[in-house]
Amino acid sequence: MTEPVGPAIARLRLHTYLRERREAQGHTASAVARKMRWSQSKLNRIENGVVTIQPIEVKALLEFYDVQDPAEVERLMDLSEISRERRWWREEKLSQEFKDFVAFESEASGLYGYFALFIPGLLQTPEYAKALSSPVIKEAVADSTGMNLTEVRRKRQETLFDRLDSSRPPALNMAVDEAVLLRPVGGTEVMAAQLDHLLAVSKRPTVHLTVVPLDLGAHGGLGGTFELLEFAGRQDDDVVFIETPADDFLLTDKTKTETFRKIMDDLLSSGLSGKHATDEIGRARRRLKV
């Protein structure tokens, strides 16, 4: 392997390669499935990254696709082995899209997001998250679903801050609408602690907060909250995640993710950043008078 990768990137690279190789060889999915003695749905799930594939199956498939370079075969078998590693999020009761997003998030070199309604999940205090979860998911916080989401958020935060403390920390670039700072989720004391946490986190060298002011007018972020992930080396395309109360959407198609990259770049350049952002957060904090 030329560089270390985790299971999410390994799966993405492998299923993309296998699909593109099949198409380049001119094989239909049904013909390949018959040759491998698989159902066509199995091949479709492999090529879409829904399921993993065993290294021995990769080798057999590559033989059919006339891949003769031993180093290339070994590289792809390595990707298969890595992609099958199980991480904590696989056991959680979450949508497949959210599980895949968390997997990508744990490997991303750059984490971006625009948050129009609430503080980014990765930067929420436990009290803020608890106050936010119940009305958003329309269930009591004591319900297993609510507690599950809170626990998942905590584990995501632990993963992030462990990485921020490492020798190769990711860059965190979060744009938050000004209205989010003024909405006292959980009451004034909870919100005050949340804003204090934002100010503390903003002191980290690879954490960059942007406040999108209300007087900016119409902008691309008005379409709603989203998160965008980028990966080291730019070999792998961006991933975009959109979460709603009903469904989650994970976008990996470059023609779609490029739209969100442009929106993100525009928000980061037009919003308040650096000291201007922390000054705005500080003003919101002082308004609470606690």
Side-chain angles (χ1 to χ4, degrees), residues 45 55 57 59-60 86 154 160 175 233 259:
R45 292 195 301 272
E57 293 178 311
K59 185 176 182 180
R86 299 193 69 82
R154 183 187 66 79
L160 171 65
T259 298

Side-chain angles (χ1 to χ4, degrees), residues 13-239:
R13 290 182 183 177
L14 181 59
H15 79 68
T16 300
Y17 178 95
L18 293 176
R19 183 183 67 252
E20 291 178 348
R21 183 69 184 184
R22 174 181 62 77
E23 293 172 347
Q25 291 280 303
H27 299 301
T28 64
S30 59
V32 174
R34 285 195 301 272
K35 177 66 177 181
M36 297 298 295
R37 297 180 181 272
W38 294 341
S39 66
Q40 186 171 333
S41 64
K42 175 177 177 176
L43 180 62
N44 290 339
R45 292 195 301 272
I46 289 171
E47 290 189 348
N48 291 328
V50 176
V51 298
T52 59
I53 177 173
Q54 297 180 31
I56 192 66
E57 293 178 311
V58 170
K59 185 176 182 180
L61 197 54
L62 294 177
E63 288 178 359
F64 181 58
Y65 291 160
D66 196 31
V67 179
Q68 300 180 12
D69 182 356
E72 182 72 344
V73 173
E74 188 70 17
R75 180 183 75 85
L76 293 162
M77 290 177 69
D78 284 345
L79 287 177
S80 171
E81 188 170 354
I82 294 170
S83 74
R84 294 170 62 81
E85 294 177 5
R86 299 193 69 82
R87 302 288 177 88
W88 62 263
W89 50 82
R90 291 297 168 193
E91 311 305 321
E92 300 292 339
K93 296 178 181 179
L94 304 164
S95 71
Q96 187 60 50
E97 289 81 2
F98 193 81
K99 288 182 181 181
D100 289 342
F101 167 68
V102 173
F104 282 122
E105 182 182 71
S106 71
E107 301 173 32
S109 60
L111 292 80
Y112 296 79
Y114 170 64
F115 294 82
L117 302 173
F118 48 82
I119 299 295
L122 290 174
L123 301 179
Q124 291 175 9
T125 64
E127 295 76 17
Y128 182 97
K130 182 178 179 180
L132 181 69
S133 295
S134 180
V136 168
I137 63 174
K138 297 182 176 61
E139 297 179 24
V141 175
D143 181 86
S144 60
T145 303
M147 294 303 289
N148 178 261
L149 292 174
T150 301
E151 178 65 10
V152 167
R153 185 181 294 111
R154 183 187 66 79
K155 290 180 178 179
R156 288 173 61 205
Q157 291 175 347
E158 286 184 354
T159 300
L160 171 65
F161 282 92
D162 283 347
R163 297 183 67 207
L164 289 174
D165 290 334
S166 71
S167 59
R168 298 179 63 184
L172 190 70
N173 293 270
M174 295 294 172
V176 178
D177 196 89
E178 182 185 354
V180 172
L181 306 178
L182 304 178
R183 183 174 295 112
V185 172
T188 55
E189 291 187 1
V190 169
M191 192 64 194
Q194 175 63 74
L195 295 178
D196 286 340
H197 180 61
L198 281 186
L199 291 170
V201 171
S202 69
K203 296 177 182 178
R204 288 176 172 266
T206 61
V207 175
H208 310 284
L209 301 181
T210 297
V211 176
V212 181
L214 293 174
D215 61 10
L216 182 60
H219 57 78
L222 295 181
T225 292
F226 66 91
E227 295 178 70
L228 182 147
L229 306 174
E230 67 178 15
F231 305 94
R234 307 301 293 172
Q235 176 180 347
D236 307 289
D237 292 334
D238 294 342
V239 169

